[in-house]
Amino acid sequence: MTQPTTLLSKTFQAFFHSEKTGAILLLACTLLSLALANSPVRDAYSGLWQQVWFGLSLEHWINDGLMAVFFLFVGLELERELYNGELADLRKAVLPMVAAIGGIVVPAAIHYAFNAGSPTQAGAGIPMATDIAFALGVLALLGPRVPLSLRIFLTALAVVDDLAAILVIAVFYTTRFEAAWLLAALVVLAGLVLLNRRRVLALWPYLLGGALMWWLMLRSGVHPTLAGVALAFAIPFSARAEDEHSPSHRLENALHRPVAFLILPAFALANTGITLPEAWSADLLGDNGLGIIAGLVLGKPLGIVLACVAAVMLGLAKLPGELRWSHLVGAGLLGGIGFTMSIFIANLAFPGQPALVDASRMAILAGSLLAGLLGYAWLRVSAGPTAGPEPPQT
């Protein structure tokens, strides 16, 4: 059966192909980091990330600074999807939005069931997240075996998933805050919104204001990466899909490659250097580790598919013509690739507990690897020989 033609914007095409290459680089950096952390140079490698520069360790500059740029990029993606992407049309948006909610609630519930009442209960947010780079990277390896609509569905799902992760960080993983500093950050944000209203289209005032807002949030105790998301929605955006000259669109295009090829690899190098202890298998099979792995590998596909079934049965949404239920099962499995956001949340869930953070990271890597392999194998077997042409590279 011939696949219906699906028109993709240049932005989506560039995004999809950068994610494919970026996922390969991200995997290479993870393997390198693990190898160095378990080699004779492990002490020097670990010490590298603890070097202090301008009051913060290199690891903190990456996790709090560079990742704020990553969150800015996520916010710009979300804005684009809300205005002229898959989330702009409510009829099309319902299915990935409902799927994302199911893929958030069920994994968190599974982890909570393993860890309720224990010191690791705070890790319930860890298996909620989907790593968009790895998930789309695996999907890209399947080429024309999968329909373009599945790639669009998974992208929209992952964007909503990222938004939920941002809200979870803001609500549940802010343990202290200084009201005066936070108020000052909000005043800066209000000033940036005012510039937007007055149609100031130069990017530099927004970037300078965003840097100031980041510093104020850092001092307030609210995680400073949230400044990136706030800045994304303060930058002027054109709701016309064909307008590629709005400040938001220009910045998103400018950040594609730095995020994929610099920021996320640096994050992987700084956060996956896990020195495996002798009792690593016990850590992996503890309640926290099992909750994370089961949440990613079982909870994600179960939550996504059941939510889609409920939405279709209730008449809230319908499957696009070229999508089959087997495709959604595969998307659910790939949704279990947590990695970047899961590691990020693990760092926040267990502050000052490096052993527990490392054990969580190990479980995230194991669960994400298993989910990725299962998703690839499922879609390769069930999707058929071809499903349509590759989107052209730009």
Side-chain angles (χ1 to χ4, degrees), residues 11 54 57 118 130 157 290 335 360 388:
T11 301
F54 303 104
S57 69
S118 73
T130 294
L157 184 153
L290 286 176
S360 299

Side-chain angles (χ1 to χ4, degrees), residues 70-71 74-75 77-78 100 104 128-133 155-169 229 338 341:
F70 168 74
F71 275 83
V74 169
E77 285 177 350
L78 178 60
I104 289 166
M128 289 170 48
T130 294
D131 189 286
I132 193 169
T155 301
L157 184 153
V159 168
V160 177
D161 197 288
D162 281 345
L163 174 62
I166 292 164
L167 294 175
V168 165
I169 291 168
V229 181
M341 292 300 294

Side-chain angles (χ1 to χ4, degrees), residues 86-170:
E86 281 300 294
L87 302 179
D89 186 336
L90 185 58
R91 293 170 299 177
K92 293 181 179 179
V94 168
L95 194 65
M97 289 176 67
V98 169
I101 294 170
I104 289 166
V105 172
V106 175
I110 288 176
H111 185 280
Y112 184 81
F114 276 97
N115 296 273
S118 73
T120 52
Q121 177 179 306
I126 296 173
M128 289 170 48
T130 294
D131 189 286
I132 193 169
F134 270 127
L136 290 182
V138 172
L139 205 58
L141 295 177
L142 292 160
R145 288 178 174 270
V146 296
L148 298 181
S149 55
L150 178 59
R151 304 173 197 188
I152 296 171
F153 170 82
L154 186 58
T155 301
L157 184 153
V159 168
V160 177
D161 197 288
D162 281 345
L163 174 62
I166 292 164
L167 294 175
V168 165
I169 291 168

Side-chain angles (χ1 to χ4, degrees), residues 223-286:
H223 204 276
T225 52
L226 299 178
V229 181
L231 175 60
F233 283 89
I235 294 174
F237 179 86
S238 174
R240 293 179 297 170
E242 68 276 8
D243 185 355
E244 298 181 3
H245 302 292
S246 69
S248 178
H249 193 100
R250 285 188 283 118
L251 184 58
E252 184 184 2
N253 282 339
L255 290 177
H256 263 141
R257 287 179 175 79
V259 166
F261 304 129
L262 174 63
I263 292 174
L264 291 182
F267 178 83
L269 288 171
N271 288 276
T272 58
I274 306 165
T275 302
L276 298 177
E278 292 184 5
W280 66 269
S281 58
D283 290 338
L284 201 60
L285 298 177

